[in-house]
Amino acid sequence: MPLTPLPSALSRRAFLTATAATTVFAVIRGAEAKPIAFAIHGGAGGISKDSTPPEREALYRAKLAAVVTAGHNVLKRGGSALDAVVTAIVMMEDSGVFNAGKGSVFTSAGTCELDASIMDGATRAAGAVAGVKRIKNPIRAARAVMERSPHVLLTGVGAETFAAEQGLTLVSPKYFGTEEGRRELERVKAEESKRPKVAQSVPAEALPRKLGTVGAVALDAQGNLAAGTSTGGMTNKRFGRVGDAPIIGAGTYADNATCAISCTGHGEYFIRSVVAHDVAALMAYKGLSLAEATQEVVLRKLVAFGGLGGLVALDRAGNIAMPFNSPGMFRAAIGADGKVFVGIYREDG
Amino acid sequence: MPLTPLPSALSRRAFLTATAATTVFAVIRGAEAKPIAFAIHGGAGGISKDSTPPEREALYRAKLAAVVTAGHNVLKRGGSALDAVVTAIVMMEDSGVFNAGKGSVFTSAGTCELDASIMDGATRAAGAVAGVKRIKNPIRAARAVMERSPHVLLTGVGAETFAAEQGLTLVSPKYFGTEEGRRELERVKAEESKRPKVAQSVPAEALPRKLGTVGAVALDAQGNLAAGTSTGGMTNKRFGRVGDAPIIGAGTYADNATCAISCTGHGEYFIRSVVAHDVAALMAYKGLSLAEATQEVVLRKLVAFGGLGGLVALDRAGNIAMPFNSPGMFRAAIGADGKVFVGIYREDG
């Protein structure tokens, strides 16, 4: 039998099955019926073309393209949705470009406190860490909590001790943070000192430019969904503050029955709106499509509530949605057609 | 005009309105159309008549009756749902009888780490603290986070520093915990050492007897809902572990549009199922009643998922639901009829 080039979505396992089957064509069609898809975000916020120098924009676009391709490659090779999510988020945590891992922004105390979570849509197993200061890759720690502890959420020193026991890399707290982040802290502090403190209502102009997190959602060739989110939090946050990123149901959610979601935005509003689970509930209980449910939550409910941000989402058919109500959202996706999409502004489509 | 005894549900404000109105009767009817209701729980778990000495049972029943009456009295005097929730939870935190505040169980490290959250159904404002070791009343700290910070969730030392700034009482970590809790830690550790560790699947016999939290839900005469939850967590939890109690959407949720919910049970399963928000979503998107939605989540979905526990819930009409799938749940309620219900076992009705 001559070897024919196989569609990229076909995993090694599917290939072996295919060559053993009587008609390769039928199995390839079967594989095509189980699409893979992958999407990431690198934070939402007051990103505008005017405030972003062209060389900076080019850097973001190149990074997003590299990360989304790396995650998608894991799926193409037949890897799991969880592996694809972790691969992509680790790259973003290590890049120093996004507000997660190395590039985390600073708390009001001038420290970096990181949060992350992950969820497996097949089993609804979940893991998260919050307020960690020494774990190089919080998304790996979240996965270790999910797979190797009876708990879902570990915080602070307890989470760091667990991560060390699991053989994950710990670093000095000085590893995290960038010069840009330091300047952003000064800017936000200066802005905040000009206005009175009002509980849970922050005017847009006082918001940090990057409401940053990073996140990824994946659909693998086995038909499983997964979602993960990682963040350095919000510039000038009170130390000890935890946003939506490590909160299952708020910043991250995955269930094969509905969708996989990773959010980015003003975390307090995302927690109070239980954003990720709300999308899943609208699909499960109201019969909305992924596109309808994500638009309802991000463009209508969150806007009415005053919650700035967006999300990336996938369903089991491989549909991708990436709505946001902020001026911009760093995002990228590769769908069933295998084409790489990268976007920052609204006009990117 | 002779002064007539007014229905207890009538607030001072309503009374003033009533005396100024042309017919007192109509306004009293108006007040009756806005019922007040209050319900609490003091934890769920492997509570059985056999394992509970009669004098212990009598103590629990008396405490539950006193707490539910105190919370309901706040509402009768025209107080807010938030005030009623905090009043009741502070009493339970101070009692030393329930797994919250003074009576908190011990972590695997022999320390006490407390979590609490509160949500206002009128505004969907929310506040929470997690992993605090020195705040006497975590529910007060959760309310302070909600009302006097721009954040929703503060953890550890950051939360304690904030609480101190807000004038809340800090205590020595030794204030928390009881002799009974110490013995329970020994028992659970011994039980656990007998079996291999398996991620997120713990056999029922190795579970702590008290899957404890305390919680309260209230409907005030203004028609507003509120919910709050407070806990010392799970006996033998890893230090740094956070359960569902401080997670908005999992352990606590309130929205005037649907319901107020406070959960108690095996927190990891409640987080992964986003239990409190799932009840609200079933009401909002599927049109289920409070009774139907709570039964669907607690008696069907959580049972299928393996999540032991229960919840107390109220809707805006004053309906009360208190389903649980564990052998027992400490619970009490006062509905529109003003009668005090107290229950521990299934047969309490």
Side-chain angles (χ1 to χ4, degrees):
Chain A
M1 190 176 80
L3 271 175
T4 327
L6 290 162
S8 59
L10 206 62
S11 69
R12 197 179 119 77
R13 176 175 301 214
F15 174 75
L16 293 174
T17 314
T19 51
T22 45
T23 62
V24 173
F25 181 69
V27 177
I28 290 176
R29 283 220 311 194
E32 281 175 343
K34 283 212 165 189
I36 60 170
F38 192 66
I40 59 168
H41 66 77
I47 315 150
S48 70
K49 256 199 180 313
D50 300 340
S51 68
T52 313
E55 67 279 10
R56 191 85 191 153
E57 182 182 324
L59 171 68
Y60 284 132
R61 290 188 186 271
K63 273 281 166 203
L64 290 166
V67 170
V68 78
T69 303
H72 190 256
N73 279 342
V74 171
L75 301 174
K76 277 207 301 195
R77 290 193 302 266
S80 72
L82 285 170
D83 283 341
V85 164
V86 171
T87 296
I89 293 182
V90 164
M91 280 179 76
M92 290 193 276
E93 286 176 341
D94 289 346
S95 71
V97 171
F98 303 103
N99 176 19
K102 172 73 189 120
S104 293
V105 299
F106 290 93
T107 68
S108 61
T111 58
C112 291
E113 294 183 352
L114 289 66
D115 311 323
S117 65
I118 193 163
M119 190 159 183
D120 178 353
T123 59
R124 282 195 289 141
V129 295
V132 297
K133 298 174 186 175
R134 302 194 304 131
I135 299 173
K136 184 172 181 240
N137 292 111
I139 193 69
R140 286 198 204 279
R143 186 172 187 175
V145 171
M146 174 174 77
E147 294 180 343
R148 290 178 253 157
S149 94
H151 297 318
V152 169
L153 174 56
L154 295 182
T155 61
V157 175
E160 292 168 0
T161 306
F162 172 77
E165 285 172 11
Q166 298 299 322
L168 299 183
T169 307
L170 295 201
V171 292
S172 156
K174 288 179 189 157
Y175 165 81
F176 301 105
T178 61
E179 252 319 296
E180 192 200 355
R182 184 74 68 183
R183 283 195 300 273
E184 178 72 356
L185 174 63
E186 302 306 325
R187 190 190 74 78
V188 173
K189 277 195 167 177
E191 196 69 48
E192 198 178 69
S193 66
K194 290 183 205 156
R195 64 183 174 82
K197 274 193 183 181
V198 181
Q200 294 184 3
S201 66
V202 183
E205 63 275 15
L207 281 177
R209 285 218 190 91
K210 277 160 62 174
L211 288 167
T213 46
V214 306
V217 288
L219 169 67
D220 65 29
Q222 288 71 48
N224 291 320
L225 293 169
T229 310
S230 178
T231 188
M234 182 174 272
T235 294
N236 201 29
K237 71 182 179 187
R238 267 199 97 86
F239 67 101
R241 177 265 192 182
V242 172
D244 63 318
I247 307 298
I248 300 303
T252 301
Y253 192 71
D255 182 352
N256 279 1
T258 49
C259 57
I261 308 263
S262 171
C263 298
T264 172
H266 194 163
E268 277 70 12
Y269 290 85
F270 281 63
I271 293 176
R272 293 163 61 196
S273 299
V274 200
V275 167
H277 185 263
D278 204 27
V279 171
L282 281 166
M283 294 175 70
Y285 304 143
K286 224 174 169 177
L288 298 197
S289 70
L290 184 82
E292 291 165 344
T294 54
Q295 283 171 23
E296 169 72 8
V297 170
V298 176
L299 304 184
R300 205 191 62 77
K301 294 177 79 173
L302 268 178
V303 168
F305 200 46
L308 209 65
L311 55 80
V312 293
L314 278 182
D315 68 15
R316 230 179 157 181
N319 294 305
I320 299 171
M322 301 191 283
F324 56 100
N325 61 39
S326 45
M329 181 169 84
F330 298 107
R331 61 202 188 279
I334 303 180
D337 62 3
K339 282 188 188 149
V340 179
F341 166 83
V342 174
I344 301 178
Y345 315 111
R346 281 181 202 284
E347 51 270 32
D348 288 318
Chain B
M1 190 174 84
L3 272 175
T4 327
L6 291 163
S8 59
L10 205 62
S11 71
R12 198 179 118 77
R13 176 175 299 214
F15 174 75
L16 294 175
T17 315
T19 51
T22 46
T23 63
V24 173
F25 181 69
V27 177
I28 289 176
R29 285 219 312 192
E32 282 175 343
K34 284 213 164 186
I36 59 171
F38 193 67
I40 59 169
H41 66 76
I47 314 151
S48 70
K49 256 200 181 310
D50 300 339
S51 68
T52 313
E55 67 279 9
R56 192 85 191 152
E57 182 181 324
L59 170 69
Y60 283 132
R61 289 189 186 271
K63 272 283 167 201
L64 290 166
V67 170
V68 79
T69 303
H72 190 256
N73 280 342
V74 171
L75 301 173
K76 278 208 300 195
R77 292 193 302 266
S80 72
L82 286 170
D83 284 340
V85 164
V86 171
T87 296
I89 293 181
V90 164
M91 280 179 75
M92 290 193 277
E93 286 175 340
D94 289 346
S95 71
V97 171
F98 303 102
N99 175 20
K102 172 74 188 117
S104 293
V105 299
F106 291 93
T107 68
S108 61
T111 57
C112 290
E113 294 183 351
L114 290 66
D115 311 322
S117 66
I118 192 164
M119 190 159 183
D120 177 354
T123 59
R124 282 195 288 141
V129 294
V132 297
K133 298 175 186 176
R134 301 195 304 132
I135 299 173
K136 186 173 180 237
N137 292 111
I139 194 68
R140 286 198 203 280
R143 187 173 187 175
V145 171
M146 175 174 75
E147 294 180 342
R148 291 179 253 156
S149 93
H151 297 319
V152 169
L153 174 55
L154 294 182
T155 62
V157 174
E160 292 168 0
T161 306
F162 173 75
E165 284 173 10
Q166 298 298 323
L168 299 182
T169 307
L170 295 201
V171 292
S172 156
K174 288 179 189 156
Y175 164 81
F176 301 105
T178 62
E179 253 319 296
E180 191 200 356
R182 185 73 68 182
R183 284 195 301 272
E184 178 72 357
L185 175 62
E186 302 307 324
R187 189 189 74 78
V188 173
K189 278 195 167 177
E191 195 69 47
E192 198 178 70
S193 66
K194 290 182 205 158
R195 64 185 173 81
K197 275 193 184 181
V198 181
Q200 293 183 3
S201 66
V202 182
E205 63 276 14
L207 280 177
R209 284 215 191 94
K210 278 160 62 175
L211 287 167
T213 46
V214 306
V217 288
L219 169 66
D220 66 27
Q222 288 72 48
N224 291 320
L225 293 169
T229 310
S230 178
T231 188
M234 181 173 273
T235 294
N236 201 29
K237 71 184 178 186
R238 267 198 97 85
F239 68 102
R241 177 265 191 183
V242 171
D244 63 318
I247 307 297
I248 299 302
T252 302
Y253 192 71
D255 182 351
N256 279 0
T258 49
C259 57
I261 308 263
S262 172
C263 299
T264 172
H266 194 162
E268 277 71 12
Y269 290 86
F270 280 62
I271 293 176
R272 293 162 62 196
S273 299
V274 201
V275 167
H277 185 263
D278 203 27
V279 171
L282 281 166
M283 294 175 70
Y285 304 143
K286 222 176 172 176
L288 299 197
S289 69
L290 184 82
E292 290 165 344
T294 54
Q295 283 171 23
E296 169 73 7
V297 171
V298 176
L299 304 184
R300 204 190 64 77
K301 294 177 80 172
L302 268 177
V303 168
F305 200 46
L308 210 65
L311 55 80
V312 293
L314 278 182
D315 67 15
R316 230 180 157 180
N319 294 306
I320 299 171
M322 301 191 284
F324 57 99
N325 61 38
S326 45
M329 181 170 83
F330 298 108
R331 61 202 188 278
I334 303 180
D337 62 3
K339 282 187 188 152
V340 179
F341 166 83
V342 174
I344 300 177
Y345 315 112
R346 281 181 202 284
E347 51 271 31
D348 288 318

